[in-house]
Amino acid sequence: MTEQSLKATVQSDLTAAMRARDQVRSGTLRMALAAMTNEEVSGTQARELSDDEVLKVLAKEAKKRKEASVAYTDAGRPELAAKEDAELAILEAYLPAQLSDEELAAIVAAAIESTGATGMQQMGQVMKVASPVVAGRADGGRVAAVVKASLAGR
């Protein structure tokens, strides 16, 4: 038996969730599949997403849930924040493990070393080198913060 693509795994998990009458899980997976389909048909030509592209879509959806949860918490709506957190937990099961602060700092240090960056002016160059290495294992804002902190000390 061949290994399923990530999208096929999400589809089979959706079927299982529907059979189990798990409304939160099936609703979340439906939204994720809809986002994948939207990504497939966006642009000039319809295409099949690779697993890396599916991971990017899932990461984007997870980020939306995190931001919505924070917004609901700040607005004093804990019941809506809890719903977003539940959806986030389901989506995170499909994402690779997030990098620790130490691992992220090491990747950024290597990127600074390889670009020879000496100050904030080279932040873009460092980000260009570090982002593909991090690829979905850390939020872009978190990477940028570590790069800024590292370059500010130089």
Side-chain angles (χ1 to χ4, degrees), residues 2 7 9 17 22 25 28 50 53-54 57 72 77 82 85 95 104 109 123 130 139 145 149 153-154:
T2 60
K7 183 177 178 184
T9 303
D22 184 345
R25 186 172 191 77
T28 302
S50 68
E53 292 170 318
V54 169
V57 170
Y72 285 137
R77 300 293 305 269
D85 290 338
L95 297 174
L104 186 55
M123 182 174 172
D139 184 55
R154 290 183 175 257

Side-chain angles (χ1 to χ4, degrees), residues 56-70 84 88 91-92 95 139-141:
K56 285 181 185 172
V57 170
L58 289 173
K60 192 185 311 180
E61 291 297 309
K63 184 177 179 185
K64 286 179 189 176
R65 300 305 178 284
K66 276 183 198 160
E67 291 170 353
S69 175
V70 168
E84 295 294 334
L88 175 62
L91 291 173
E92 282 180 337
L95 297 174
D139 184 55

Side-chain angles (χ1 to χ4, degrees), residues 112 115-123 125-126 150-154:
I112 290 172
T115 59
T118 56
M120 291 301 288
Q121 299 85 351
Q122 289 91 13
M123 182 174 172
Q125 296 170 349
V126 176
S150 299
L151 289 177
R154 290 183 175 257

Side-chain angles (χ1 to χ4, degrees), residues 122-149:
Q122 289 91 13
M123 182 174 172
Q125 296 170 349
V126 176
M127 288 295 291
K128 198 179 288 185
V129 172
S131 293
V133 177
V134 171
R137 297 182 296 159
D139 184 55
R142 209 173 130 215
V143 176
V146 172
V147 170
K148 275 184 188 169

